[in-house]
Amino acid sequence: MRRPQNLRPAAAPFLGFARLLRDHAFAIAPEQISSFMQAVTLLGPRSMNDIREAALSTLAPSPDRRGEFEAHFRAYFYGDAKPSIEAEEDDETRVKDDRGAREEENQVARQEKGGELSSELEQLSSRDFQHDDDGLGQFRRKLVSALPARRSFRTIRTRSRGTLDLRRSLKEIVSADGDIPSPLLRRRRAVPRKLLLLIDVSGSMKLHTADYLKLAHAAVQGADRAEVFTIGTRLTRITSALRIRDRGQALARAAALVDDWDGGTRMGPTLLAFLSVPRFSAFARGACVVVLSDGLERGSHAELEIAMRRLGARAFRLSLATPLAGDARFRPATSALRAILPVLDDLVDGSSIGSLTDFILSLARPAPAADSIWKRVS
Amino acid sequence: MPSADVVEIAASPEAIAARLAASRYLADDSLATAIFLAIRLSKPLLLEGAPGVGKTEAAKAVAELLGRELVRLQCYEGIDAGHALYEWNYQRQLLAIRHAGEHEIDIYDDRFLIARPLLQVLRAPVERVLLVDEIDRSDHEFEALLLEFLSDFQISIPERGTIRAATQPIVILTSNRTRELAEALRRRCVYHWIGYPDARREAEIIMLRSGDVAEATARAVSNAVQEIRARPLAKPPGIAEAVEWANAATILEKGGSPWPEAFRRAIGVLIKDEEDLSAITPELGRIVEEALA
């Protein structure tokens, strides 16, 4: 690319706009800037809309950041007030809605009144950071081999137990001028299934979310493909933050992304929001889905039931890890838990990092359905 | 540089939009501009959007407006170079070796080469448009392979050397965004996000695409579909489903069903998920009546 001082004066604003986007963490390559300028020239430009269309087509902001892009465009070319949106990580996607704001306030008030439930939660809140750290290191190393495997459509060469690799065998024969060497075999590769963690960050889970985030960080670091979302009143994808190797930095970044910590619970609508984004719901397909939540849905649980049924239909295994199950007296007695129990593969203890890591490492082992286990217990 | 006839066809975004409309594809200004820029800048066009918004149809319409054959490469998990670039016909090569006996034969002759979509397009770039459909379904390795192709528009066949396109072919990629594509791929393309059309445009599309649907019916269907799409459905209905719904309701109405009832009975062509259907059914009557009002 030419140096700015060699640029024609008319081109300077477009270069300036691309630089502004770069300053706000949009990944803009030099070739995109030259394409942008070419596009502007091709379109006339006859109006500001032509410049906008050229920018959208060539600088290619991701749909998640389209609003931010538009705000920067208006600020730069129209002199509007500077957008207040803070730069996000490129591949960060948030799905948020404010419909539950009032509901959230109500729930906080109700939780404050709750005596019996609060004391039960506090009972289960003991944490041992030193022990957790050790456990998580081991968990991270074991995770890839411990996750259930599926057969990929990609194949690998094998010496035994495979099907004839006709294409390569024939290629060998042709290269040997028709001589017949031993046939080559291939078989479908086994790949670990995806791991999807949905972490409830509502007020009732306050004592456990820090531990869950540590576990999620270890999972993202250890698994081939893991995705982590927080669910509360909103849905937030925090996977990219957790990809940072240093745990302290990763958790700080994740904490900054989520802005509904310790709020109310709108599990059903939030999970439905997750399912309505094709990119997210596609990740759940064939994955081990672990919902880390107490499952305490306020009001009607109809949406939670629908969402869990849809998740269950997509997932290879759908598990709910609840801190309440750490108590020996726990029974899935609430109407929400009773409604979703038939679609759950597992309803397990999520009260400590140790119990959770043990459970996730055992996902490849078959187990009776949650419904049958809890019917026996109660 | 695009050829003179292509420049003539793609004279402006408005010219593109008019020609697309003649191919029964209604493109808004943004899409027409993106297609115009992709053609004139000789860059691939990456179309992203929810399933059913008309990405593949857009590619078909572009091929039609340019008067070229569409070569479609449908992506899936496990697709590899053998499926996308070229393959040798080993069986024929073996037979040729046997028949040749002591004679010399060139087993890497054209007659043994099976050209897959990418090679087909490189060999005849001015006659074909390449559609790489649902690139998000393929693996990262295949995406990387495609990057190489899209950068230089050339393929290296070890036994034959490098085949390079004389002129840059027109390539359209589509993605349902079930996974994030590599930044490098987006960078090489002219990008456009296709959203669901607004009610007015969707009514126009229904009128254009359906058989003999009345204008009022098309408007009612488009209004109702907008309302239905606003709900958190597992499979929001696409444009094709809306057209089918209008068609099906019209057929039922001609068969004797009164209007709201005809829409209700034809709902199966719009909503194709059992849970979505049970979620929508209680409200369907109200939605249809409001749409008809």
Side-chain angles (χ1 to χ4, degrees):
Chain A
M1 202 176 71
R2 289 192 294 179
R3 286 173 171 278
Q5 57 262 39
N6 297 334
L7 271 182
R8 287 184 193 168
F14 307 119
L15 182 66
F17 179 58
R19 282 187 173 161
L20 173 84
L21 290 178
R22 272 192 190 155
D23 290 344
H24 288 85
F26 282 86
I28 310 280
E31 68 202 69
Q32 284 177 291
I33 302 175
S34 53
S35 295
F36 173 39
M37 291 181 187
Q38 284 174 23
V40 170
T41 312
L42 271 174
L43 289 172
R46 295 160 300 181
S47 66
M48 283 305 288
N49 195 45
D50 283 344
I51 298 174
R52 185 177 151 274
E53 294 290 356
L56 281 171
S57 299
T58 53
L59 305 179
S62 107
D64 307 328
R65 302 187 72 192
R66 180 81 176 258
E68 194 185 340
F69 181 91
E70 299 274 5
H72 285 303
F73 186 87
R74 291 202 67 81
Y76 187 83
F77 286 106
Y78 291 89
D80 284 6
K82 282 199 170 180
S84 59
I85 314 133
E86 282 185 18
E88 293 169 20
E89 186 68 11
D90 286 346
D91 59 348
E92 206 50 67
T93 304
R94 297 189 193 191
V95 175
K96 292 175 177 175
D97 58 320
D98 294 325
R99 284 182 300 158
R102 183 174 291 179
E103 211 175 315
E104 188 178 335
E105 285 167 20
N106 293 341
Q107 284 167 14
V108 171
R110 264 181 274 164
Q111 279 159 15
E112 281 164 0
K113 284 185 222 161
E116 194 183 324
L117 193 59
S118 306
S119 63
E120 191 170 310
L121 281 171
E122 279 169 20
Q123 217 177 356
L124 303 168
S125 67
S126 62
R127 278 178 288 171
D128 178 352
F129 281 105
Q130 190 54 48
H131 173 77
D132 289 349
D133 287 352
D134 293 342
L136 284 177
Q138 212 176 18
F139 168 70
R140 196 176 60 228
R141 286 187 292 277
K142 284 184 180 171
L143 186 59
V144 170
S145 52
L147 282 173
R150 69 170 178 87
R151 286 199 304 156
S152 164
F153 284 95
R154 284 196 172 269
T155 54
I156 48 166
R157 291 183 187 188
T158 177
R159 287 177 180 278
S160 61
R161 291 195 302 116
T163 53
L164 183 65
D165 184 353
L166 196 59
R167 195 199 299 175
R168 283 186 176 75
S169 296
L170 285 168
K171 193 177 178 182
E172 285 281 302
I173 295 169
V174 168
S175 63
D177 265 354
D179 283 354
I180 304 173
S182 52
L184 299 173
L185 303 177
R186 292 187 81 80
R187 74 160 173 264
R188 281 167 72 179
R189 194 173 60 174
V191 291
R193 286 188 180 271
K194 298 168 281 185
L195 178 66
L196 172 64
L197 299 179
L198 298 160
I199 302 176
D200 184 351
V201 291
S202 62
S204 59
M205 297 292 292
K206 192 175 180 178
L207 298 168
H208 302 277
T209 41
D211 281 357
Y212 289 172
L213 281 189
K214 285 183 201 164
L215 177 92
H217 178 252
V220 170
Q221 295 292 321
D224 271 355
R225 290 184 72 193
E227 281 282 341
V228 185
F229 290 81
T230 61
I231 52 174
T233 54
R234 297 163 177 195
L235 176 74
T236 313
R237 177 173 177 261
I238 57 168
T239 316
S240 58
L242 297 178
R243 287 208 186 103
I244 300 170
R245 202 162 178 77
D246 181 84
R247 191 167 75 183
Q249 279 183 20
L251 294 195
R253 186 83 161 268
L257 288 174
V258 181
D259 49 17
D260 55 340
W261 291 113
D262 310 330
T265 312
R266 292 175 66 230
M267 261 183 91
T270 318
L271 287 176
L272 285 176
F274 169 85
L275 288 164
S276 65
V277 179
R279 190 156 53 102
F280 298 165
S281 60
F283 193 87
R285 198 174 296 283
C288 297
V289 181
V290 183
V291 183
L292 301 158
S293 168
D294 50 15
L296 295 178
E297 182 74 327
R298 307 288 164 168
S300 164
H301 57 261
E303 285 178 314
L304 176 67
E305 201 184 332
I306 293 169
M308 290 300 263
R309 198 168 337 115
R310 284 186 189 164
L311 258 182
R314 280 174 174 75
F316 167 73
R317 191 160 168 175
L318 175 64
S319 317
L320 177 70
T322 167
L324 303 177
D327 188 335
R329 293 166 297 171
F330 169 78
R331 297 289 178 272
T334 61
S335 56
L337 276 182
R338 275 209 310 269
I340 63 172
L341 195 59
V343 298
L344 289 177
D345 290 299
D346 314 279
L347 175 59
V348 294
D349 172 17
S351 63
S352 69
I353 287 186
S355 59
L356 272 172
T357 50
D358 287 349
F359 167 66
I360 293 175
L361 292 177
S362 74
L363 277 171
R365 291 198 286 273
D371 203 10
S372 64
I373 293 175
W374 287 100
K375 260 184 195 156
R376 265 203 313 267
V377 174
S378 42
Chain B
M1 281 293 289
S3 57
D5 59 326
V6 168
V7 172
E8 195 187 322
I9 293 167
S12 66
E14 291 74 21
I16 297 260
R19 280 178 177 264
L20 286 174
S23 313
R24 299 203 311 149
Y25 188 91
L26 292 183
D28 59 15
D29 293 345
S30 297
L31 177 58
T33 307
I35 293 171
F36 166 76
L37 289 176
I39 293 174
R40 295 295 293 271
L41 293 173
S42 298
K43 279 177 165 272
L45 173 63
L46 171 59
L47 297 175
E48 276 197 319
V53 291
K55 300 182 291 294
T56 306
E57 284 301 313
K60 287 180 186 167
V62 168
E64 200 175 323
L65 84 90
L66 294 171
R68 296 182 181 187
E69 186 190 330
L70 185 78
V71 177
R72 181 173 174 171
L73 175 64
Q74 175 65 51
C75 296
Y76 50 88
E77 190 199 335
I79 188 169
D80 61 16
H83 298 113
L85 300 175
Y86 70 93
E87 202 169 14
W88 291 108
N89 191 337
Y90 299 112
Q91 289 91 333
R92 286 193 71 181
Q93 284 178 323
L94 273 172
L95 282 173
I97 291 171
R98 288 201 179 170
H99 281 134
E102 295 300 312
H103 301 288
E104 280 275 313
I105 56 150
D106 179 10
I107 55 170
Y108 298 112
D109 188 71
D110 244 7
R111 62 199 164 115
F112 301 116
L113 187 65
I114 305 168
R116 300 290 189 208
L118 300 190
L119 182 58
Q120 283 176 30
V121 171
L122 281 196
R123 282 173 155 186
V126 290
E127 290 148 30
R128 295 193 173 129
V129 170
L130 173 66
L131 165 63
V132 182
D133 215 4
E134 301 189 334
I135 175 76
D136 53 326
R137 284 176 183 255
S138 68
D139 311 288
H140 293 284
E141 294 95 323
F142 182 73
E143 204 179 316
L145 174 97
L146 209 59
L147 277 183
E148 200 183 328
F149 172 81
L150 295 176
S151 294
D152 307 322
F153 291 106
Q154 65 178 41
I155 289 173
S156 291
I157 301 176
E159 300 85 359
R160 295 277 293 270
T162 302
I163 299 177
R164 187 174 287 111
T167 57
Q168 292 205 354
I170 289 168
V171 182
I172 298 173
L173 301 103
T174 71
S175 159
N176 289 334
R177 212 155 178 263
T178 54
R179 76 167 167 85
E180 203 70 74
L181 298 178
E183 275 297 329
L185 184 71
R186 294 163 68 88
R187 217 167 55 216
R188 281 166 174 76
C189 301
V190 168
Y191 177 82
H192 183 71
W193 171 265
I194 304 188
Y196 288 113
D198 58 26
R200 189 184 56 79
R201 182 165 289 276
E202 189 152 20
E204 287 170 10
I205 295 171
I206 292 168
M207 294 288 293
L208 197 66
R209 291 260 160 177
S210 59
D212 55 349
V213 168
E215 196 181 335
T217 311
R219 272 205 302 272
V221 164
S222 62
N223 288 337
V225 168
Q226 298 280 328
E227 169 97 27
I228 290 169
R229 275 194 203 122
R231 282 143 215 277
L233 300 178
K235 289 187 174 48
I239 298 171
E241 281 82 21
V243 174
E244 283 170 18
W245 196 30
N247 271 332
T250 304
I251 291 167
L252 286 174
E253 195 260 348
K254 284 184 177 165
S257 285
W259 260 130
E261 183 57 27
F263 280 119
R264 270 198 295 272
R265 287 179 63 189
I267 191 69
V269 298
L270 184 79
I271 307 282
K272 294 170 183 174
D273 180 279
E274 188 268 328
E275 284 180 355
D276 286 350
L277 202 58
S278 52
I280 280 290
T281 306
E283 290 184 88
L284 188 62
R286 181 190 60 77
I287 292 172
V288 168
E289 268 163 31
E290 280 178 15
L292 280 167

